[in-house]
Amino acid sequence: MPIYCRIPQMIIFGDAIMNRLLEEKELWQPFQKAYTAVNFAVAGEKTDTLLYRIRYSDWNLLSTGKEGMRDESSPLVVAIMIGTHDVGNGNSVEQVVASIDAVVQECIVKIPLLSNIFVLSILPRALDSFNSMIAKINKRINEIYADTKLLNGAVTAVDLTPLFKTKDGAIKVNMYLADRF
């Protein structure tokens, strides 16, 4: 059965970082096949446009098979990495946190069969200008979802920052592309 006929088990939302997964064919294709993952990430995406796309799309189409049959046994996981462009556009910590939370809330309302949401941290930048603000946003997101009752506690913040920093806290510049973003 071709992948396009299967009901997705994972949806990915985000900006260019998540969108670049599609370019990494050796990584993406086995993952896509194993999890029937679909990547709706858009380069340059901000929380307001992602919120709009979630709010006004018909997500019921993802939970029906080729013949329109629901597969109630297939849980759906959403991974979200969003907010870096909001930071770059001058939004405050509070605005970015509220916008990310609005995206999570809208996923819960709009996407059927949703079982888990993973909110991935905003990655630190290779150039330090925004990293203090990004650290505050990530800390606040971790606090919000540490004891959440949303989706029966199945909303999890995942802080990826340690993967991009050395033990002494310096940025691992080799982890970034030429644009240092």
Side-chain angles (χ1 to χ4, degrees), residues 71-108:
D71 182 358
E72 297 295 340
S73 64
S74 293
L76 185 61
V77 174
V78 168
I80 303 166
M81 181 187 283
I82 196 75
T84 194
H85 295 292
D86 298 83
V87 170
N89 282 346
N91 294 27
S92 70
V93 169
E94 296 78 20
Q95 288 171 321
V96 177
V97 170
S99 295
I100 293 170
D101 189 51
V103 166
V104 169
Q105 301 274 352
E106 197 68 19
C107 284
I108 292 168

Side-chain angles (χ1 to χ4, degrees), residues 3-138:
I3 290 174
Y4 62 84
C5 290
R6 295 175 55 198
I7 297 170
Q9 295 173 310
M10 179 174 223
I11 298 174
I12 297 171
F13 291 121
D15 51 34
I17 295 166
M18 298 303 272
N19 183 264
R20 285 182 186 149
L21 287 174
L22 296 171
E23 297 170 15
E24 301 296 328
K25 295 195 185 312
E26 289 179 15
L27 172 69
W28 176 248
Q29 287 177 346
F31 182 82
Q32 180 188 29
K33 186 175 181 180
Y35 297 101
T36 319
V38 290
N39 190 333
F40 290 114
V42 175
E45 182 110 270
K46 295 186 305 180
T47 54
D48 60 344
T49 56
L50 176 56
L51 185 60
Y52 181 90
R53 289 192 307 124
I54 293 168
R55 184 170 288 153
Y56 296 107
S57 295
D58 185 358
W59 298 103
N60 288 306
L61 296 173
L62 291 176
S63 63
T64 57
K66 188 176 176 186
E67 285 80 35
M69 305 281 289
R70 283 184 97 94
D71 182 358
E72 297 295 340
S73 64
S74 293
L76 185 61
V77 174
V78 168
I80 303 166
M81 181 187 283
I82 196 75
T84 194
H85 295 292
D86 298 83
V87 170
N89 282 346
N91 294 27
S92 70
V93 169
E94 296 78 20
Q95 288 171 321
V96 177
V97 170
S99 295
I100 293 170
D101 189 51
V103 166
V104 169
Q105 301 274 352
E106 197 68 19
C107 284
I108 292 168
V109 168
K110 293 292 290 187
I111 301 175
L113 302 177
L114 187 58
S115 62
N116 295 81
I117 298 176
F118 294 96
V119 183
L120 308 178
S121 60
I122 300 174
L123 299 180
R125 302 223 181 149
L127 301 173
D128 250 356
S129 57
F130 294 107
N131 286 341
S132 173
M133 184 176 179
I134 289 170
K136 289 175 187 173
I137 293 166
N138 290 339

Side-chain angles (χ1 to χ4, degrees), residues 80-81 118-124 134-143 156-165:
I80 303 166
M81 181 187 283
F118 294 96
V119 183
L120 308 178
S121 60
I122 300 174
L123 299 180
I134 289 170
K136 289 175 187 173
I137 293 166
N138 290 339
K139 180 179 183 213
R140 186 69 189 110
I141 290 293
N142 286 333
E143 292 168 354
T156 305
V158 180
D159 190 358
L160 301 172
T161 304
L163 298 173
F164 292 82
K165 290 191 172 186

